[in-house]
Amino acid sequence: MIPIFKVFMPDMVSDYISDLLYSGKLSYGEYTKEFERRLSSFIGNERVLAISGNSILFALKLIDIKPNDEVIVSPMSCLMTTQPIVYSGAKVVWADIDPLTGSLDPDDVKNKITNKTRAIIHYHWSGNPGYIDEINSIAHKNNIPVIEDATESFGAEYKGKKIGNTDTDIVCYSFTPVRLPNAIDGAGLSLNCEKLYQKSILMRDLGVNRSKFRDKMGEISADCDIDIVGDSATLNNISGYVGSSQMPFVFDLIEKQRKNALLWEDFFKNLPCTKVVSKREGVNPSYWAFTILSERRDELLNSFRNQGVYASKIHLRNDLYSIFGPPSHPLRGVDEFSKRQLNLPCGWWMDENDFNRIVRDV
């Protein structure tokens, strides 16, 4: 079975792990810092940090989301994207999507803004960036921060710039096993504002300013005040080492996924009742998976599975879960997209021989 997701790990990554485990240098340290430097260089933004835990939840705390605040988000998202809203005590406001791209519909986002709206979470479906300029423009006019969820779209580009360097307030990543890069666990943020970046550094470390925290004797200094509520969310050095070791490979792996996407596009070019998810002008997806839209979705899913290709719907629309309260108002774009979307393996582990077999058998 060709898997839809697979864990990447460089061949030599284990060579130093044992030494590191017994070095005593397990908490946030030199390798986590190196991982952050490499992330910053790749993304093109100096304001990047790695954290443990859920980056969306961290971002909501960072912008002081409070109970009864409203956060706009698409129901066609991962639960890692939407559950933090409920966990923070805020109210989820579902917005519709463009049924051809799976991305937030700017017009519906505009209609869902109220005087209680405190954030917009912009989820990029399966590595395909959405209406970045349009959503950001609406948000800025209303003085609302935008949190982009790039969990599935690390390395994707918009107008020649990497996601995380396109003037969005906060961009969130995940470094869990099936992501590129993966650090076994953890997450990251890329920020557009220096003040918010400096706040995030303090907030991930219990509000502690490490440059002032200890005196000359190494004791905790009474002169270092803690004036911000924080979390113990620094990324450990083991994860930093694993993540850093992957960064030299990420560009080539994503380029291979883009080449695989071209093969899929050619495969589906003449298939009746099926189309490839639209790519907007200026968008260069990273193809965490390859999404198609088909009136024969379930038939195709079974056909691919029977031939050893793990096709999947990946996400169930989140507004069906009772944790979010009563069903949302009709969302025509979500209705259409959720009934037709199907995702296929497009990762670095696939090659042309796989596609030749798929063409022959499916």
Side-chain angles (χ1 to χ4, degrees), residues 4 125 268 275 277 289-294 296-302 304-305 310-314 337-344:
I4 192 166
W125 179 270
F268 285 107
K275 63 172 64 176
V277 160
F290 187 86
T291 306
I292 61 170
L293 303 171
S294 179
R296 303 164 51 205
R297 191 265 305 278
D298 294 340
E299 178 187 340
L300 282 173
L301 188 154
N302 290 328
F304 277 112
R305 290 278 188 96
Y310 200 98
S312 174
K313 292 175 276 188
I314 297 182
F337 184 82
S338 65
K339 291 176 182 176
R340 300 174 66 210
Q341 63 91 11
L342 182 66
N343 304 276
L344 300 161

Side-chain angles (χ1 to χ4, degrees), residues 114-153:
T114 72
N115 59 5
K116 293 184 178 181
T117 306
R118 296 294 178 266
I120 298 168
I121 298 179
H122 191 179
Y123 184 83
H124 299 310
W125 179 270
S126 205
N128 186 23
Y131 293 87
I132 291 176
D133 287 346
E134 294 84 349
I135 297 295
N136 287 353
S137 177
I138 292 166
H140 293 165
K141 287 177 182 176
N142 290 277
N143 197 30
I144 300 168
V146 174
I147 301 169
E148 276 182 30
D149 186 344
T151 295
E152 299 173 1
S153 51

Side-chain angles (χ1 to χ4, degrees), residues 119-315:
I120 298 168
I121 298 179
H122 191 179
Y123 184 83
H124 299 310
W125 179 270
S126 205
N128 186 23
Y131 293 87
I132 291 176
D133 287 346
E134 294 84 349
I135 297 295
N136 287 353
S137 177
I138 292 166
H140 293 165
K141 287 177 182 176
N142 290 277
N143 197 30
I144 300 168
V146 174
I147 301 169
E148 276 182 30
D149 186 344
T151 295
E152 299 173 1
S153 51
F154 185 90
E157 298 173 352
Y158 181 63
K159 294 184 176 179
K161 293 184 177 181
K162 297 285 194 305
I163 300 302
N165 188 28
T166 59
D167 297 325
T168 300
D169 299 300
I170 306 172
V171 177
C172 293
Y173 310 103
S174 171
F175 303 134
T176 50
V178 297
R179 317 296 178 185
L180 281 178
N182 89 71
I184 302 175
D185 203 359
L189 294 93
S190 182
L191 299 108
N192 195 38
C193 167
E194 182 65 22
K195 184 177 179 181
L196 208 57
Y197 173 62
Q198 293 301 328
K199 180 182 177 183
S200 68
I201 291 174
L202 293 175
M203 204 183 83
R204 72 171 172 180
D205 194 14
L206 301 169
V208 173
N209 183 337
R210 290 291 168 180
S211 67
K212 301 177 181 179
F213 190 57
R214 295 191 180 273
D215 61 23
K216 292 179 180 179
M217 296 295 292
E219 296 297 313
I220 295 174
S221 172
D223 294 330
C224 179
D225 186 28
I226 307 295
D227 59 2
I228 181 174
V229 175
D231 200 351
S232 183
T234 53
L235 188 67
N236 69 77
N237 217 21
I238 301 291
S239 288
Y241 173 73
V242 173
S244 180
S245 72
Q246 300 205 2
M247 289 307 297
F249 301 91
V250 168
F251 177 84
D252 289 340
L253 293 173
I254 291 175
E255 284 301 300
K256 188 168 185 181
Q257 293 180 174
R258 288 173 175 146
K259 290 178 181 177
N260 287 340
L262 294 176
L263 295 173
W264 275 129
E265 287 178 6
D266 187 61
F267 177 83
F268 285 107
K269 189 164 49 180
N270 298 312
L271 195 67
C273 304
T274 303
K275 63 172 64 176
V276 172
V277 160
S278 299
K279 286 186 296 185
R280 298 177 57 244
E281 185 177 351
V283 164
N284 191 13
S286 56
Y287 294 105
W288 187 62
F290 187 86
T291 306
I292 61 170
L293 303 171
S294 179
E295 304 298 337
R296 303 164 51 205
R297 191 265 305 278
D298 294 340
E299 178 187 340
L300 282 173
L301 188 154
N302 290 328
S303 178
F304 277 112
R305 290 278 188 96
N306 289 336
Q307 298 303 330
V309 181
Y310 200 98
S312 174
K313 292 175 276 188
I314 297 182
H315 299 308

